[in-house]
Amino acid sequence: MERPVTEADLAFEHVPETDQSFENALAKARAGERLTVDDAIELLTTGSDSDGIDRARKELVLEAADRRRAEVVGEEVTFVANLNNNVTTACNVGCLFCNFKDAAHTFERGADVETAGFTKTPAESREAVAGAVDRGIYEVTSVSGLHPAFALDEEHLEILDTHPNPKEVNYKPPERYATNPGTYAEQLSAMSVDGVHVHSMTPEEGYHARRGTDWSYEEVYSRLKDAGLDTVPGTAAEILVDEVRDVICPGKITTDGWLEAMEAAANVGLGLTATIMYGHVENEAHRAMHLKRVRDLQERVDGAITEFVPLSFIHQNTPLFEHDVVAGGASTDEDELMIAVSRLFLDNVEHIQSSWVKYGDEQGLKMLSCGADDFMGTILSEEITKRAGGGYGEFRSVGEYVEMIASIGRVPVERSTDYEMRRVIDPEHADPPLGPELGPKADGTPLLTTDERRVSADD
């Protein structure tokens, strides 16, 4: 058995060294000039001619990004009322940064090991979403493991059932499993309740939904759109440089595949978001190259990307950490610079998101002064409709959003997924308790009652 790769073994072709100077890169950023990859490397490193981050230089980058944020979007901080309804944790791709999946074989009937994960039927997904829509959400977000029984639709199932080598295309028939996830089309149709916005089907899931066929991504995303899909989350991007992907997710979609799928989704009329997952084995050159590929994609899709979401790698309980490939995640300085340089570099993407799930409340708010202007969503857990007493997992109420955003002197705004619908909230004249108003059934009632908020998800 080969020894796992460790951090000390990594030698990349792309390294954070440039002929540019930090001072020149900063001057370009302040002047609003379009930045190059070398410019971004200088800003992310605060000067590639020295080791470590220079705190004084970092503050200059943050100030430039905050000014740019104010020029582009003003003082508003947006958020969306949403539900996370992930269909299954079953997956056998083996990404080394993931602590979400459960081995797909443990979901099979008669498995020796009882799975610790879950798979929902389309009916169960519909029940979870319907309950959340009644409470007032605008959006349901769904990102799931690559279950071997998942197929695009009934036609795709028939193709996979007759494939001469099912293992080659990562397929096992649904009857092998204790719970049948249905098809992607059935799940999307089930989640399309009363006009709720469905945000789902990452490029990786799009790849899974065409395996074993010669279908184009346009064909796949056109069928998904017909089934109820509204927008595509640009997760599965991780780092859009293949020498990094070969280390952290060797079985996953390639950089070119991700870009092809995203462009195809936009071509059939679907909106997009884009992400970066940083702070593992990559360096600042890779981060800068990633930003360039997102910016170039935005040019090709004519502005279909509504927001860019930097996601700081959470290393605990991941194979990368357990196998000593990484010693930890990004530092706070790196987090702040990633947000700031994203704002300065992505001059054609209007919104930069701060993830309170990744950064925590205090640091998440700090990011709103580093170039970010969106503060994620409520993330109403599907557990709400499943557990007696209204237990919840990760959740942020509208009232908390208003209080937190107002505390830093900014204007809270409830938004739609595409940012076209906006509800500005005046903290001084808003009567609590506050709830969402943009969802199909939203009427200003809080998503959770006071009693439900007191009950933890573990009770």
Side-chain angles (χ1 to χ4, degrees):
M1 181 175 179
E2 292 186 4
R3 177 179 64 84
V5 174
T6 68
E7 195 168 23
D9 296 322
L10 298 175
F12 291 121
E13 174 186 352
H14 301 287
V15 295
E17 298 174 357
T18 83
D19 293 328
Q20 173 65 291
S21 71
F22 172 82
E23 289 78 11
N24 285 342
L26 181 63
K28 288 176 66 176
R30 285 172 166 171
E33 296 179 29
R34 174 158 278 200
L35 303 180
T36 66
V37 167
D38 281 357
D39 293 328
I41 291 171
E42 288 300 311
L43 298 177
L44 286 165
T45 59
T46 62
S48 61
D49 56 350
S50 60
D51 293 332
I53 291 174
D54 182 300
R55 293 288 180 82
R57 285 181 168 185
K58 182 198 76 169
E59 290 303 321
L60 297 177
V61 178
L62 303 190
E63 289 170 9
D66 194 42
R67 285 197 298 271
R68 180 68 54 79
R69 181 271 310 161
E71 293 168 0
V72 173
V73 296
E75 300 304 311
E76 295 181 345
V77 174
T78 50
F79 63 91
V80 63
N82 70 339
L83 162 81
N84 274 7
N85 180 62
N86 302 325
V87 172
T88 181
T89 60
C91 192
N92 56 6
V93 172
C95 298
L96 299 180
F97 57 82
C98 181
N99 57 8
F100 169 74
K101 75 159 194 172
D102 296 286
H105 68 86
T106 65
F107 291 75
E108 295 183 34
R109 296 181 187 276
D112 294 336
V113 180
E114 183 178 354
T115 183
F118 63 86
T119 297
K120 297 175 186 173
T121 65
E124 289 170 330
S125 286
R126 188 170 188 83
E127 180 185 357
V129 175
V133 171
D134 285 343
R135 289 176 179 267
I137 65 161
Y138 180 90
E139 167 195 294
V140 54
T141 303
S142 182
V143 178
S144 298
L146 303 180
H147 196 302
F150 244 154
L152 174 60
D153 51 23
E154 291 300 324
E155 181 182 359
H156 192 207
L157 264 182
E158 291 179 12
I159 292 171
L160 293 174
D161 274 331
T162 58
H163 195 280
N165 188 354
K167 187 175 181 180
E168 182 182 272
V169 292
N170 186 19
Y171 174 71
K172 290 183 181 180
E175 54 266 23
R176 289 278 297 271
Y177 295 90
T179 302
N180 182 352
T183 65
Y184 283 115
E186 288 171 337
Q187 284 284 353
L188 291 171
S189 178
M191 285 187 270
S192 297
V193 179
D194 293 325
V196 73
H197 185 102
V198 180
H199 186 57
S200 186
M201 296 305 297
T202 70
E204 185 72 24
E205 290 172 293
Y207 176 79
H208 198 60
R210 68 189 282 261
R211 68 199 193 283
T213 75
D214 59 0
W215 296 341
S216 67
Y217 280 112
E218 279 86 356
E219 174 68 21
V220 169
Y221 277 106
S222 180
R223 294 191 189 195
L224 293 168
K225 183 181 179 184
D226 289 343
L229 182 63
D230 293 302
T231 53
V232 174
T235 42
E238 324 318 347
I239 296 291
L240 293 173
V241 183
D242 281 337
E243 68 175 356
V244 174
R245 303 179 80 79
D246 289 344
V247 175
I248 66 171
C249 51
K252 205 165 189 177
I253 194 170
T254 63
T255 295
D256 286 345
W258 187 92
L259 293 168
E260 180 187 355
M262 290 284 277
E263 191 166 351
N267 287 343
V268 301
L270 294 166
L272 311 173
T273 62
T275 66
I276 182 173
M277 195 269 289
Y278 66 95
H280 37 88
V281 305
E282 92 296 344
N283 59 47
E284 291 88 351
H286 298 125
R287 297 176 194 176
M289 293 169 68
H290 181 107
L291 291 175
K292 177 68 161 58
R293 285 169 178 162
V294 171
R295 191 174 70 187
D296 290 348
L297 173 65
Q298 180 76 318
E299 300 282 356
R300 297 196 299 274
V301 299
D302 196 26
I305 301 172
T306 56
E307 67 190 19
F308 184 69
V309 187
L311 299 169
S312 192
F313 174 58
I314 305 300
H315 64 277
Q316 297 90 340
N317 303 321
T318 67
L320 282 176
F321 180 66
E322 292 167 356
H323 295 162
D324 296 322
V325 182
V326 300
S331 68
T332 298
D333 288 335
E334 289 178 285
D335 287 335
E336 292 174 356
L337 284 165
M338 190 71 245
I339 290 282
V341 178
S342 296
R343 168 61 72 188
L344 294 168
F345 192 94
L346 297 175
D347 52 22
N348 55 4
V349 178
E350 189 170 1
H351 303 288
I352 306 295
Q353 187 176 101
S354 170
S355 170
W356 53 264
V357 172
K358 297 292 186 181
Y359 302 129
D361 290 350
E362 182 177 355
Q363 189 61 31
L365 285 171
K366 170 69 184 299
M367 296 304 189
L368 297 172
S369 297
C370 299
D373 69 297
D374 185 73
F375 208 25
M376 288 189 71
T378 57
I379 313 185
L380 181 65
S381 171
E382 69 274 9
E383 300 293 331
I384 296 303
T385 58
K386 294 295 182 183
R387 296 173 186 251
Y392 61 94
E394 293 285 1
F395 174 71
R396 168 113 299 136
S397 73
V398 172
E400 287 170 325
Y401 264 122
V402 171
E403 182 178 347
M404 293 174 71
I405 294 167
S407 74
I408 60 170
R410 303 278 283 281
V411 180
V413 178
E414 181 190 356
R415 65 166 173 89
S416 59
T417 305
D418 61 7
Y419 291 81
E420 293 299 317
M421 295 175 59
R422 308 166 68 85
R423 168 202 170 202
V424 178
I425 304 172
D426 181 350
E428 294 185 3
H429 298 94
D431 295 326
L434 299 173
E437 294 187 7
L438 299 185
K441 292 190 174 182
D443 60 4
T445 301
L447 291 168
L448 296 179
T449 67
T450 302
D451 288 344
E452 288 170 326
R453 291 299 309 279
R454 292 195 185 106
V455 181
S456 75
D458 296 328
D459 288 347

